[in-house]
Amino acid sequence: MIIERSLTNALNCALERAPAVVLTGPRQVGKTTLALQAGKSRGALYLDLERPSDLVKVQNFEQFCALNQDRMIILDEVQRSPEIFAPLRGIIDQRRREDKKSGQFLLLGSASLDLLRQSSESLAGRVAHLELHGLNPSEVDANDFQKLWLRGGFPESFLSRNHQDSLAWRNDFISTYLERDIPQLGPRIAHSTLRRFWTMLAHSQAQTLNASMLARGLDLSSVTIGRYLDLMVDLLLVRRLQPWHSNLGKRMVKAPKVYVRDSGICHALLGLSGANDLLGHPVVGGSWEGFVIEAIDAIRPASVDMGYYRTAAGAEVDLILSLPSREVWAVEIKLTSAPKLSRGFYLACEDLKPSRKIIIHGGEDRFTVGDGVEAIPLGMLETLF
């Protein structure tokens, strides 16, 4: 079964306007399937740079491109060969002079910052960047929302025959990342230590980062904890939601909130095999919050920034959306279908004076709570923007 991805149109538009497109996302999220669909009508040539036979073909990258100058080239796991970025700039410029201005290269990668840094430095003004998230609610049937939350957005996990098969897939995914992928992409860290770190992050889902506590639990320094977190963020496995900065003169919490980005991976790390296990676990609220934030991130315009707001006086908003117009939206996330707002939310709104006050909830109806607060169900999330 192939699920139509909401990024399809954005990818095709990017290929129509830019010489090169960089598509990032964690492994197994569906980048290759999406790229092959986009490349099919364009007669694209696909290379997987993890295959030795394909890697050999690009050792002389300029010659390879010259031999295939009339075809779009898809390079998968491109972070394996960062040396191609330097000649790629000249190749694109040469093709531009020949009036070939778009859709020449589609570069896929499972790591974010290093890949983006390489492409930004070498291909400034020549590349478009897109990120493929896991499946989001707009891509599945409304009856499958709970399954999506429980199993997460990796297509193979979501489409598994049953919860047991899905959990087995996610456990295999975790082991493969720890034992093979992370050692290849980042510093060599004992996989048992990194698994404990990842699991500790899952236990503190949606909480502010306490590096000292994590360091004590793992018998490491806070500096080392910071390096581990940087690695997991770069690999698109963990989200670091920064506090929203303002000039309101308030004593604000400055530590980021941290989330395991895929809810299904979070649940697997915690050993939660079914809905009853999840609903009875202390992490249930944080898991739902992270799930909704990932869904919002997948549909928000690139010009909209995300953060959270919390002060020492108890004012708090789960998510702040900052628009280019300088509008601020305050978003609270509740699992219940009959959400109630806390005093901290109203205190935050007094500080922020947001142009929209929103609750994203787990029910099915859209309604107004009072004081201009919009309650939007998960199933209508795509109407947010």
Side-chain angles (χ1 to χ4, degrees):
M1 177 181 177
I2 295 179
I3 297 175
E4 183 68 24
R5 304 305 303 269
S6 57
L7 196 68
T8 300
N9 288 337
L11 176 58
N12 285 321
C13 289
L15 289 169
E16 290 296 325
R17 73 173 187 272
V21 176
V22 174
L23 177 63
T24 55
R27 288 182 176 276
Q28 304 296 320
V29 80
K31 298 186 302 297
T32 302
T33 300
L34 185 61
L36 291 175
Q37 288 174 342
K40 186 175 181 180
S41 62
R42 296 174 170 88
L45 177 63
Y46 171 81
L47 297 181
D48 180 354
L49 299 187
E50 289 197 322
R51 288 202 300 247
S53 58
D54 284 350
L55 191 58
V56 168
K57 295 175 183 177
V58 298
Q59 285 186 344
N60 187 332
F61 189 61
E62 291 175 281
Q63 184 180 37
F64 176 80
C65 291
L67 290 172
N68 297 280
Q69 59 183 328
D70 295 326
R71 302 182 69 181
M72 185 176 89
I73 296 173
I74 302 172
L75 299 177
D76 208 343
E77 300 300 341
V78 71
Q79 74 276 353
R80 299 288 189 191
S81 298
E83 65 276 3
I84 72 167
F85 285 100
L88 194 55
R89 175 177 177 172
I91 294 166
I92 288 174
D93 288 347
Q94 175 62 36
R95 291 187 177 186
R96 273 178 164 175
R97 289 190 288 270
E98 297 168 0
D99 205 31
K100 299 174 184 176
K101 296 181 180 179
S102 64
Q104 302 171 36
F105 298 95
L106 177 52
L107 314 175
L108 315 181
S110 300
S112 63
L113 292 186
D114 285 343
L115 180 65
L116 295 180
R117 189 180 304 117
Q118 291 159 356
S119 62
S120 296
E121 291 173 355
S122 301
L123 302 176
R126 302 166 180 83
V127 64
H129 295 113
L130 296 172
E131 180 182 340
L132 182 63
H133 294 71
L135 297 172
N136 66 66
S138 69
E139 296 171 325
V140 305
D141 189 88
N143 294 325
D144 288 330
F145 285 171
Q146 187 177 70
K147 184 173 81 170
L148 180 63
W149 174 33
L150 176 63
R151 297 184 180 186
F154 288 96
E156 288 192 55
S157 174
F158 175 74
L159 294 171
S160 294
R161 293 178 302 170
N162 51 53
H163 289 324
Q164 289 72 29
D165 286 354
S166 172
L167 182 61
W169 184 92
R170 283 175 275 141
N171 282 325
D172 288 343
F173 174 91
I174 292 167
S175 296
T176 300
Y177 247 102
L178 292 171
E179 296 170 11
R180 190 196 73 174
D181 295 333
I182 290 176
Q184 290 177 345
L185 293 172
R188 296 200 173 274
I189 302 168
H191 64 80
S192 58
T193 301
L194 200 54
R195 185 185 185 104
R196 286 174 60 205
F197 173 69
W198 205 354
T199 302
M200 290 175 75
L201 293 180
H203 276 286
S204 57
Q205 184 83 336
Q207 296 179 22
T208 53
L209 175 66
N210 188 332
S212 297
M213 182 196 71
L214 292 171
R216 287 194 300 272
L218 293 170
D219 196 23
L220 298 169
S221 70
S222 294
V223 173
T224 301
I225 291 297
R227 287 196 295 107
Y228 285 11
L229 183 60
D230 287 343
L231 174 63
M232 302 299 273
V233 170
D234 286 357
L235 294 176
L236 305 169
L237 299 172
V238 170
R239 175 177 299 281
R240 185 166 41 200
L241 186 67
Q242 298 292 350
W244 185 77
H245 296 291
S246 71
N247 57 0
L248 300 174
K250 305 290 182 178
R251 290 181 56 204
M252 296 175 60
V253 174
K254 296 181 179 179
K257 289 170 72 173
V258 179
Y259 305 81
V260 176
R261 291 188 60 167
D262 183 76
S263 59
I265 297 300
C266 178
H267 302 154
L269 289 165
L270 298 174
L272 305 177
S273 59
N276 289 334
D277 292 340
L278 172 58
L279 294 174
H281 196 278
V283 82
V284 61
S287 170
W288 176 257
E289 182 179 322
F291 174 65
V292 173
I293 285 175
E294 289 302 312
I296 291 173
D297 189 34
I299 64 171
R300 70 182 170 108
S303 57
V304 174
D305 292 327
M306 298 198 311
Y308 81 97
Y309 183 78
R310 184 179 297 172
T311 70
E316 181 176 1
V317 176
D318 291 334
L319 183 67
I320 296 292
L321 298 175
S322 180
L323 281 65
S325 60
R326 297 190 178 181
E327 285 186 57
V328 171
W329 296 355
V331 181
E332 197 71 357
I333 299 168
K334 301 291 186 183
L335 175 57
T336 176
S337 59
K340 296 180 180 179
L341 290 167
S342 67
R343 180 172 178 270
F345 179 82
Y346 287 111
L347 287 174
C349 289
E350 289 178 10
D351 294 342
L352 299 169
K353 296 179 174 51
S355 56
R356 287 182 75 183
K357 292 171 282 188
I358 301 164
I359 305 175
I360 306 299
H361 65 90
E364 298 180 357
D365 299 320
R366 184 168 190 157
F367 53 92
T368 301
V369 175
D371 194 27
V373 180
E374 307 168 60
I376 301 175
L378 183 66
M380 297 183 185
L381 193 60
E382 60 193 57
T383 68
L384 183 62
F385 298 100

